[in-house]
Amino acid sequence: MTRQELYDRIRQSSKDEVILEEMIRLGFWPDGEDAPVPAADAIRGRGEAMRELTELQRQNATLADPERALKEMHKRRKAEAMARRQETKRRNAEARQSRAFAWYDRRKRDVLYLGEDVSRGLHTRTTTTPLRDGLPPLADAKALADAMGVPLGELRFLAFNRKVASVNHYQRFTIPKKSGGERLISAPMPRLKRAQYWVLDNILARVPLHDAAHGFAAQRSILTNARNHVGRDVVINLDLKDFFPTLTYARVKGLFEALGYAEAVAIPLALLCTEPMVDEVALDGERHFVADGPRLLPQGAPTSPAITNLICRRLDRRLVGLARTLGFVYSRYADDLTFSGSGEAVRKIGTLLKAVHGIVAAEGFTVHPDKTRVMRRSSRQEVTGLTVNEAVAVPRDLLRRYRAVLQQVERHGPAGKHFGPGKDVIRSLLGFGHFAVMVDPESGAPLLQRALRVAAQYAPALSARRP
């Protein structure tokens, strides 16, 4: 112990107390002998009395001098404030650390944030809507990730709503439209595609569709759609404008909630199935993808067709009811709406079209103003690319073009020949041959046999794939 430390101890207590403590510490009373307790108590009592007396003298001197008393009061208050401030800082630091640890721990078990504008509701794990029969019960995002067989972190990565990102979950390209122009296709990358297929197989595919829906459904096709309208006096085709972009994230989330899932599950499901349009920007040699607008249903994701059918169930119900009331038959293939009727129904075409526009608008869609066709029996009636005047058939002009190209390839080979939008004429001929057999097996079989012989001659690998 230094001399200064000794002086400090004496100043804090008293000289006698320090001497007593040192005598006891140094063992002036051997083990087994009583220490001088009465003397020690007296020394400590005297020291305590002296300290109280000193404090009272100091207070008396302070009160005798108002300026000094004010300074002492300010000094004391400042010291108390500093002590409180330090204690508050300590408590806040402990609280921040505790929250950080709790957040880190919850991130392992839950998804707490999935980006701007979409995270509200992630903590809502209850719903008043009963879960539809046959769907897997999912309480939260962790249960969803476990059911998918992926880590929670991967689900968070795939579903996160980024305004600006250095990664992109979709590969985008365009294909030509039949009516002209180009159609944007957004094909998901492998990890997201696997997650979307899980959603499709385990949720969307287990919900029954309306009978009027014929697109993107098992055992239904353009052929089953066209059969509803064979031999009618009038066939009416309408097209929904910007069908896929009309289906926003909010509508997709609402679909999953209507199926019985709470927001804690509906939000990541909807994020997995939607994407915003993005602009690709290069900055400092790195690519960045900047969101340009709200999240929409991508055309190219495996979940998108099933989602469109499920969202359109109420639209289909209302249009079926309208058609029956006016004497028409209704069916839908994707965004193509078809009505047909005979007899008295022909007089109600105007009433039908006006009502259809109202129902479509009420359901959040828009009828394309340039794609409404009214086809009477005296002209060629087409439904999803097939004629339906007397029977479902491939249009004659299309068959004539096909036979002409097929004959040219048989005589002169495939070089320089084209049929349809495909670049490989052999593949196009085989594909159309199978299509003709599907529509009319009797007339299509000879065409397919000719296409197979051509493929065997010029593309043996393709002919070997014959089912």
Side-chain angles (χ1 to χ4, degrees), residues 84-131:
R84 287 195 301 270
R85 190 176 297 117
Q86 291 299 325
E87 178 63 19
T88 300
K89 285 184 178 180
R90 183 189 64 79
R91 287 198 304 269
N92 290 342
E94 289 179 353
R96 283 195 300 271
Q97 186 179 40
S98 177
R99 288 195 299 269
F101 282 132
W103 175 269
Y104 180 76
D105 185 59
R106 285 191 64 188
R107 275 177 59 88
K108 296 179 180 179
R109 300 177 285 103
D110 199 0
V111 171
L112 306 175
Y113 184 71
L114 284 176
E116 186 180 349
D117 301 330
V118 300
S119 297
R120 183 179 180 181
L122 279 173
H123 306 297
T124 305
R125 292 174 168 78
T126 59
T127 178
T128 57
T129 305
L131 184 65

Side-chain angles (χ1 to χ4, degrees), residues 179 237-241 357 366-373:
S179 58
N237 283 341
L238 302 96
D239 186 86
L240 299 180
K241 185 178 180 181
H357 278 73
T366 304
V367 174
H368 199 297
D370 302 326
K371 294 187 177 181
T372 298
R373 294 187 302 162

Side-chain angles (χ1 to χ4, degrees), residues 113-166:
Y113 184 71
L114 284 176
E116 186 180 349
D117 301 330
V118 300
S119 297
R120 183 179 180 181
L122 279 173
H123 306 297
T124 305
R125 292 174 168 78
T126 59
T127 178
T128 57
T129 305
L131 184 65
R132 184 175 284 271
D133 292 340
L135 299 186
L138 302 169
D140 51 25
K142 181 65 167 63
L144 175 60
D146 291 342
M148 287 182 169
V150 300
L152 185 62
E154 181 170 335
L155 175 63
R156 184 185 295 112
F157 170 70
L158 294 175
F160 204 91
N161 182 44
R162 297 172 179 85
K163 301 296 185 183
V164 180
S166 57

Side-chain angles (χ1 to χ4, degrees), residues 321-336:
L322 171 67
R324 287 175 179 170
T325 301
L326 298 178
F328 287 87
V329 174
Y330 161 78
S331 69
R332 179 180 60 82
Y333 189 94
D335 57 350
D336 292 328

